């Protein structure tokens, strides 16, 4: 009965999914944190608004999930330098899921749009930390 309820909930959330396909659909994994649960409950995915910030009412912290497939190493940086730089600059926490190709950012809601902008800049251009010019002039 629980499996049938889960299948019905999945079908309701994914109306474009073909019923009775060749493979049985897996139930979505349970989220680990309140912010992640709120994001999952909102149906966050690649088709949703990428700027959507979910705020956990219990903690007041915001979260946003960014799709960075193939650029996980670039966001982490050599020895973790880039990820530490972003976390320190914005007071946020970045959680890279290499197997999913995502970066889950949590922190003060008012800075998460800028965090997203910086991460997308890193994906496009590489290391963005200001290192100063070697030959000014």
């Amino acid at each position: 009965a629980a499996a049938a309820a889960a299948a019905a909930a999945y079908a309701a959330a994914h109306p474009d999914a073909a019923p009775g396909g060749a493979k049985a659909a897996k139930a979505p994994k349970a989220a680990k944190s309140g912010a992640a649960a709120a994001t999952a409950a909102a149906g966050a995915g690649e088709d949703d608004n990428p700027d959507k910030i979910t705020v956990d009412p219990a903690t007041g912290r915001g979260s946003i999930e960014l799709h960075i497939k193939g650029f996980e190493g670039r966001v982490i940086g050599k020895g973790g330098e880039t990820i530490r730089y972003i976390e320190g600059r914005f007071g946020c926490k970045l959680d890279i899921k290499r197997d999913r190709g995502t970066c889950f950012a949590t922190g003060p809601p008012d800075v998460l749009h800028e965090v997203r902008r910086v991460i997308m800049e890193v994906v496009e251009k590489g290391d963005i930390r200001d290192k100063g010019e070697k030959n000014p002039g």
Side-chain angles (χ1 to χ4, degrees), residues 33-54:
S33 70
T39 301
E46 291 186 52
D47 296 333
D48 294 333
N49 180 355
D51 291 329
K52 180 166 174 59
I53 294 175
T54 305

Side-chain angles (χ1 to χ4, degrees), residues 101-120:
T102 61
C103 174
F104 193 72
T106 56
D110 56 330
V111 301
L112 288 180
H113 285 294
E114 184 68 8
V115 169
R116 178 192 183 280
R117 187 195 65 74
V118 169
I119 290 172
M120 292 296 104

Side-chain angles (χ1 to χ4, degrees), residues 16-132:
D16 57 335
K23 286 181 149 184
K26 289 184 178 180
K29 291 184 179 181
K32 294 182 180 179
S33 70
T39 301
E46 291 186 52
D47 296 333
D48 294 333
N49 180 355
D51 291 329
K52 180 166 174 59
I53 294 175
T54 305
V55 178
D56 183 350
T59 64
R61 302 218 7 119
S63 63
I64 189 168
E65 186 173 18
L66 307 171
H67 300 277
I68 59 168
K69 187 82 171 165
F71 297 98
E72 299 89 342
R74 189 176 269 192
V75 173
I76 293 168
K78 184 177 181 179
E81 291 177 353
T82 305
I83 194 169
R84 282 195 309 270
Y85 170 77
I86 295 170
E87 288 176 337
R89 178 175 171 195
F90 296 104
C92 65
K93 173 75 174 116
L94 302 180
D95 185 17
I96 307 290
K97 299 291 185 191
R98 286 182 180 260
D99 59 326
R100 294 180 53 196
T102 61
C103 174
F104 193 72
T106 56
D110 56 330
V111 301
L112 288 180
H113 285 294
E114 184 68 8
V115 169
R116 178 192 183 280
R117 187 195 65 74
V118 169
I119 290 172
M120 292 296 104
E121 185 176 343
V122 168
V123 166
E124 291 174 16
K125 300 178 182 176
D127 190 0
I128 49 88
R129 294 175 296 140
D130 183 20
K131 296 177 183 173

